[in-house]
Amino acid sequence: MRLPNVLYGVYEKRLARSLPPSSMPRHVGVILDGNRRWARSFGETAATGHRRGADKIEEFLGWSEELGIEVVTLWMLSTDNLGRPASELQDLLDIINDAVGELADTGERTGRWRLRVMGRLDLLPAATAEALREAEARTAAVTGGLQVNVAIGYGGRHEIADAVRDLLRTRAAEGATLEQVADDLDVEHIQAHLYTKGQPDPELLIRTSGEQRLSGFLLWQSAQSEFYFCEAYWPDFRRVDYLRALRAYSTRERRLGK
């Protein structure tokens, strides 16, 4: 629903006031979807849509800070996206590199957020992977503020496979046999090796563009998540859309199987 501009500010403020602080999620995950379709609707190139989507990220993080969110995970590039045409993929990787670098600049300069890059960086061009690791390292000293996970070359199944692989290597280094690992293995052992280790699981997952599927996003961590599907393409995503997602979350009864 689009409101006339004269009413928009009033509605947004009223919506923000209606959110109970005690019912806010600690961790919000977002699938940044619809950049290409947004661009096509204006007769623009895919790269234009990706740039506009990248420009939206810092604004979204500012909203999250204002609302008291502790962790945000942004899915910027999936492993499936790596199969796109070479020219489009290179443009997208360059835009992601620039966007993450700018986030790192802000985080390092202001101490507002700390970046964690998660995904199969080994599937990316070496220069891209190195730039992303360097950006993450520049915010490593930030101890407060918003934790920002950027999922790049990410797939939920890949993450679980990586977690199991890391667990097996860790236990092997400790001298455990495969049989011992199998006998001891439980859920929390795998959880301790996920990309998001040490962070709360996301209580709310948002996907823009009207698609109503998760496509493997945070496959393990989303077992108890609430889902919110928004019709707006990511470049058009507004603060009021975010507030609506949080309002929907706050009204749901989270029994968590109890």
Side-chain angles (χ1 to χ4, degrees):
M1 178 179 65
R2 292 280 182 172
L3 294 176
N5 290 337
V6 68
L7 298 177
Y8 178 83
V10 174
Y11 172 67
E12 183 178 338
K13 290 177 182 177
R14 180 176 297 177
L15 189 55
R17 287 196 300 268
S18 72
L19 296 175
S22 60
S23 298
M24 296 291 281
R26 297 176 62 196
H27 183 171
V28 175
V30 189
I31 302 175
L32 316 181
D33 197 17
N35 292 332
R36 293 192 298 177
R37 279 170 284 168
W38 179 89
R40 282 199 297 268
S41 72
F42 292 99
E44 298 287 349
T45 64
T48 299
H50 293 314
R51 288 192 189 94
R52 183 62 66 90
D55 291 342
K56 175 67 64 174
I57 291 173
E58 189 158 342
E59 186 177 22
F60 178 81
L61 296 181
W63 300 335
S64 297
E65 288 177 312
E66 293 167 6
L67 293 163
I69 307 300
E70 298 176 21
V71 185
V72 169
T73 298
L74 305 170
W75 198 4
M76 301 178 69
L77 182 77
S78 73
T79 48
D80 291 338
N81 296 154
L82 297 175
R84 289 183 177 178
S87 59
E88 179 187 344
L89 180 59
Q90 188 56 58
D91 285 342
L92 180 52
L93 289 172
D94 290 343
I95 291 165
I96 288 173
N97 250 353
D98 291 343
V100 174
E102 290 171 6
L103 293 178
D105 289 342
T106 301
E108 183 181 26
R109 184 180 70 254
T110 67
R112 289 171 57 192
W113 48 62
R114 178 175 180 171
L115 295 184
R116 179 182 296 190
V117 179
M118 49 187 251
R120 292 292 302 272
L121 299 191
D122 58 303
L123 300 179
L124 305 180
T128 300
E130 181 58 30
L132 294 172
R133 292 189 184 99
E134 188 274 335
E136 179 183 63
R138 282 194 279 129
T139 66
V142 177
T143 56
L146 186 67
Q147 298 180 62
V148 182
N149 302 322
V150 286
I152 301 165
Y154 174 87
R157 292 176 176 177
H158 287 91
E159 178 180 17
I160 294 171
D162 283 349
V164 173
R165 185 180 300 109
D166 191 45
L167 168 64
L168 292 174
R169 286 173 173 163
T170 299
R171 293 300 305 278
E174 295 168 351
T177 66
L178 184 59
E179 289 76 12
Q180 289 172 325
V181 175
D183 288 342
D184 297 341
L185 185 64
D186 212 333
V187 170
E188 63 269 18
H189 301 132
I190 296 175
Q191 179 116 8
H193 292 266
L194 295 171
Y195 299 150
T196 57
K197 56 182 174 289
Q199 298 177 340
D201 286 340
E203 294 94 344
L204 175 63
L205 295 182
I206 300 170
R207 182 170 189 156
T208 58
S209 86
E211 301 291 349
Q212 298 192 25
R213 61 181 182 276
L214 293 184
S215 302
F217 182 46
L218 299 178
L219 188 61
W220 180 286
Q221 299 92 329
S222 64
Q224 298 290 350
S225 299
E226 302 292 333
F227 306 145
Y228 185 86
F229 301 105
C230 175
E231 292 295 323
Y233 296 140
W234 173 247
D236 282 336
F237 191 78
R238 302 164 299 166
R239 186 170 183 267
V240 73
D241 296 312
Y242 196 9
L243 295 174
R244 285 170 175 162
L246 294 168
R247 179 181 61 184
Y249 170 82
S250 71
T251 63
R252 297 179 188 178
E253 184 179 357
R254 290 177 51 76
R255 296 186 297 274
L256 305 180
K258 298 177 183 177

